[in-house]
Amino acid sequence: MDILLLNLNNFIDEHGQESKFRVKQVWVPPLGLLYIGQLLIENGYNVKVYDQNVTVAENFEIMNLIKKLNPQIVGFSVLIDNFWTVKDIHKKLKHWNPNIITVAGNYFANFFPEKLMKEMDFDFCIRGEGEFSFLNLVNHLDKKKHDFHEIKGLTFRENNVVKSTPLPEKLTNLDELPIPNRKLIDFNYGLTGKSTSILSSRGCPYQCRFCTFSIVMGRKWRPRSVKNVAEEIKLLKDQGYKDIVFVDDNFTLNKKRIFRLCAEIKRNQLDDLRFLGVCRVDNASFNILRALVSAHFIQILYGIESGSQRILDYYKKGITIPQIKQAVKTANKARLELLYGTFVLGAPSETLSEAKETIKFANKLNLTFPIFQILYANPIAPIYQELVEKGQHIPQEDDWKKVFKIPDISPTSIPTRVLMKLLNEGVTQILNKRRVTHHLFQALKNNFYIDATIHSILQKKL
Amino acid sequence: MTNIKLMRILFKLCALVGFLPIFFLALLFSNFLQNVLKKALKELGPEEVNRLLADKGLFAIFDFLEHMK
């Protein structure tokens, strides 16, 4: 059986207009599809994964690919970003060959399966952790079995009625999963041309108000064994990767595991690769950061979010301003090459002075760069639901397809126009006169920046 | 010496020769950088400018100049 898994881009808007401005938007592959792909391959199926985000191909080219491969099953990762592109391709695909079985996964399949099946006429939606549900579905289809009730985490049609089976249990032993096969996508990712991502654990016990990851992956933190992660890194080194981004929901939750992982990286001489990761500020002890640096973690990103304790408490971040200051100081003491911090503006009750305080705070911290964002929420995010409960946002019928800038829908937020002005000021301050020389030397001594720039120059030339 | 190491050294040399005077001039004629940034912010928006800076450091200035052509 031939299966094509698609990760599409956001080149089409809700009016069906294709954007002419197409840029590569990712620098790591769609790991979820690669996990599913490898599991299917190990069970004897032919799989191809295609990522429009990296090829920036037009939709007619995707259709040409589908016609050329003529698969029996096409799987789509359906996200808010690519909703309209998926709709366009799905419609064309079913028009060309209505017998191709289409399967939706990811955000919409998980949270709005019935609505999605009504809107796009998918044959199946996979809910929950999708690897084994997808495999079970393909096995059923291959053997022409039609009792889909047996498959957990599936939404399907029976006599024109949409039905859903219970969600599968969360995987307890992630080592059971195969190592995702990056060769399923024939393109090089990354700022430096040789990057990929790795997932060493799933789930996060924290309940930050703006985050929906724990809703998808669960609040129970489930790590892979250090040995299993090291094996994957070894394989990546053999495949020529240079930069590896850890994309865990909560990478540094278990400190002992981080020490063991760093030791394993060094023991296997994998520390000539460059690693990038995320860390909570309350986990950022000197020993942890030093261990990460010695294993060649060149970049750590802290989720700081605000310079106001009241807003941090509102977000339920569970961190304090002194902890943030200390974590930045510690990272610099541990000689981390690149230290980033994210800051989110636009919480429903955030005052103008609090937003200004955050920008000032961000630029005062000794970070390589602060990263400013406006607060967004989709309809499953707690913040959106609170606004609806308080009657501050009247839900519309098509809200489920959208993601909202909170300042656009919250009457108590700072207006978007004012926030954008603040954001401009914040970014301008990053390059103020005092810091230009610092950034210049930082850029010249940092191989990661240099590689990224050389790569982008070479890409433009090609 | 591997290709990438050689390229890095060449890049650093070029950057030092061509880049340093520009930035020291920029420091002297202080508003140059701020003007580039202001135009980039107008063209790309603060979030994209911030992303480029985080991805490439000060070398993102090349991208800003390209967008301003």
Side-chain angles (χ1 to χ4, degrees):
Chain A
M1 222 171 189
D2 296 326
I3 299 149
L4 174 65
L5 303 175
L6 290 174
N7 191 38
L8 299 176
N9 207 319
N10 59 352
F11 294 150
I12 287 202
D13 64 17
E14 56 183 297
H15 309 293
Q17 294 294 315
E18 271 199 63
S19 156
K20 281 180 187 139
F21 182 64
R22 289 161 178 268
V23 284
K24 246 193 200 183
Q25 291 182 345
V26 286
W27 52 295
V28 287
L31 218 46
L33 294 183
L34 299 181
Y35 267 109
I36 293 173
Q38 182 58 19
L39 191 65
L40 292 170
I41 284 175
E42 287 182 5
N43 283 274
Y45 299 104
N46 294 322
V47 182
K48 171 104 187 147
V49 182
Y50 189 86
D51 187 1
Q52 191 185 23
N53 286 293
V54 70
T55 64
V56 294
E58 295 199 30
N59 284 6
F60 79 88
E61 293 174 272
I62 309 275
M63 275 313 295
N64 287 344
L65 177 86
I66 294 171
K67 287 175 185 172
K68 193 177 138 199
L69 296 173
N70 195 15
Q72 282 92 48
I73 300 173
V74 178
F76 292 80
S77 174
V78 196
L79 299 159
I80 293 175
D81 265 2
N82 67 18
F83 184 86
W84 301 103
T85 311
V86 170
K87 191 172 177 178
D88 180 62
I89 295 279
H90 189 268
K91 193 177 158 192
K92 286 173 179 161
L93 184 156
K94 282 286 188 187
H95 180 74
W96 172 65
N97 182 355
N99 295 324
I100 290 183
I101 295 161
T102 55
V103 186
N106 220 326
Y107 172 78
F108 282 108
N110 265 288
F111 298 108
F112 305 102
E114 286 89 5
K115 283 183 170 150
L116 182 65
M117 286 185 71
K118 204 172 155 197
E119 173 96 13
M120 294 197 200
D121 210 20
F122 274 104
D123 296 303
F124 298 99
C125 283
I126 298 283
R127 298 165 9 255
E129 278 177 304
E131 290 91 354
F132 289 102
S133 299
F134 204 116
L135 175 65
N136 288 340
L137 173 65
V138 175
N139 283 338
H140 262 65
L141 294 169
D142 192 34
K143 289 172 190 151
K144 309 220 180 320
K145 282 164 76 177
H146 292 286
D147 189 7
F148 298 114
H149 293 274
E150 296 171 358
I151 303 170
K152 283 191 173 176
L154 190 72
T155 299
F156 61 100
R157 279 194 195 80
E158 194 174 57
N159 303 322
N160 278 331
V161 179
V162 174
K163 292 189 173 172
S164 289
T165 62
L167 281 173
E169 298 294 314
K170 292 262 184 299
L171 298 171
T172 46
N173 180 8
L174 295 184
D175 289 1
E176 279 174 14
L177 287 171
I179 288 176
N181 186 348
R182 274 93 178 165
K183 287 181 181 168
L184 288 175
I185 304 181
D186 306 329
F187 290 93
N188 282 332
Y189 282 82
L191 277 173
T192 58
K194 283 175 181 171
S195 316
T196 190
S197 51
I198 188 168
L199 193 68
S200 79
S201 65
R202 289 182 181 180
C204 175
Y206 292 92
Q207 283 183 292
C208 301
R209 246 192 172 104
F210 48 80
C211 178
T212 51
F213 287 131
S214 64
I215 303 174
V216 182
M217 283 298 177
R219 287 185 60 202
K220 190 174 177 213
W221 184 74
R222 295 162 292 144
R224 287 167 61 191
S225 70
V226 165
K227 199 174 154 235
N228 187 250
V229 178
E231 254 170 49
E232 182 169 348
I233 298 173
K234 246 186 263 174
L235 184 75
L236 296 176
K237 185 178 172 177
D238 292 343
Q239 290 175 357
Y241 288 100
K242 301 279 179 218
D243 298 306
I244 296 176
V245 190
F246 280 80
V247 290
D248 301 30
D249 300 331
N250 196 326
F251 176 53
T252 54
L253 188 74
N254 184 329
K255 290 185 184 177
K256 279 184 188 163
R257 181 173 166 273
I258 293 295
F259 287 127
R260 287 204 309 274
L261 177 65
C262 293
E264 195 68 10
I265 288 173
K266 282 162 70 177
R267 196 178 67 79
N268 288 292
Q269 296 173 327
L270 301 168
D271 51 350
D272 49 346
L273 303 178
R274 290 184 293 213
F275 299 100
L276 299 87
V278 180
C279 183
R280 274 181 64 88
V281 296
D282 50 356
N283 284 335
S285 68
F286 180 75
N287 289 343
I288 279 278
L289 292 167
R290 205 49 224 154
L292 291 170
V293 170
S294 70
H296 209 194
F297 273 76
I298 58 150
Q299 180 192 301
I300 287 291
L301 182 135
Y302 287 146
I304 298 174
E305 324 309 1
S306 182
S308 150
Q309 189 60 54
R310 192 183 74 84
I311 298 297
L312 285 175
D313 295 341
Y314 167 76
Y315 285 149
K316 295 186 179 168
K317 273 294 287 184
I319 57 172
T320 63
I321 299 290
Q323 276 176 332
I324 296 169
K325 289 179 180 168
Q326 186 57 45
V328 173
K329 219 182 263 178
T330 311
N332 286 311
K333 200 175 150 198
R335 300 193 172 192
L336 198 67
E337 284 183 42
L338 301 169
L339 180 65
Y340 297 156
T342 52
F343 296 86
V344 184
L345 298 172
S349 65
E350 193 173 41
T351 63
L352 189 61
S353 69
E354 282 168 331
K356 284 183 177 171
E357 192 185 320
T358 294
I359 287 177
K360 201 173 156 195
F361 179 70
N363 278 311
K364 235 173 147 183
L365 285 172
N366 198 5
L367 297 166
T368 315
F369 284 107
I371 298 172
F372 297 107
Q373 291 159 330
I374 286 188
L375 180 61
Y376 280 83
N378 55 37
I380 62 158
I383 289 183
Y384 171 93
Q385 284 161 11
E386 282 162 24
L387 291 174
V388 171
E389 276 163 28
K390 284 182 188 164
Q392 293 180 343
H393 172 66
I394 312 295
Q396 305 296 310
E397 213 173 300
D398 62 350
D399 272 9
W400 67 279
K401 300 175 194 168
K402 296 179 181 171
V403 62
F404 298 92
K405 260 185 194 161
I406 289 298
D408 286 345
I409 60 168
S410 164
T412 56
S413 275
I414 303 164
T416 309
R417 180 181 46 81
V418 180
L419 269 185
M420 291 308 275
K421 217 174 144 192
L422 273 182
L423 229 56
N424 277 341
E425 282 170 25
V427 176
T428 309
Q429 279 174 31
I430 296 175
L431 287 189
N432 69 17
K433 286 175 213 164
R434 274 186 303 114
R435 301 178 71 185
V436 168
T437 338
H438 165 77
H439 284 305
L440 177 62
F441 287 112
Q442 179 88 48
L444 282 171
K445 74 175 186 194
N446 195 287
N447 285 342
F448 185 78
Y449 286 156
I450 292 173
D451 291 355
T453 309
I454 291 173
H455 179 66
S456 83
I457 292 168
L458 290 177
Q459 269 203 324
K460 279 169 198 163
K461 288 259 178 275
L462 290 174
Chain B
M1 193 180 288
T2 58
N3 270 348
I4 188 71
K5 280 185 182 161
L6 197 66
M7 280 168 92
R8 277 179 196 155
I9 291 169
L10 278 174
F11 185 87
K12 281 186 191 187
L13 274 173
C14 293
L16 273 167
V17 173
F19 216 35
L20 266 175
I22 294 175
F23 279 100
F24 284 120
L25 279 177
L27 283 176
L28 288 174
F29 302 103
S30 59
N31 285 334
F32 169 74
L33 261 185
Q34 291 292 317
N35 280 340
V36 172
L37 193 62
K38 216 181 271 176
K39 283 181 186 163
L41 284 168
K42 214 172 162 187
E43 287 282 319
L44 302 167
E47 285 164 300
E48 180 66 4
V49 168
N50 202 171
R51 189 188 64 79
L52 282 166
L53 276 172
D55 284 349
K56 295 180 185 171
L58 210 55
F59 295 130
I61 225 86
F62 292 132
D63 293 78
F64 301 159
L65 288 168
E66 196 184 320
H67 280 284
M68 285 160 52
K69 271 180 198 168

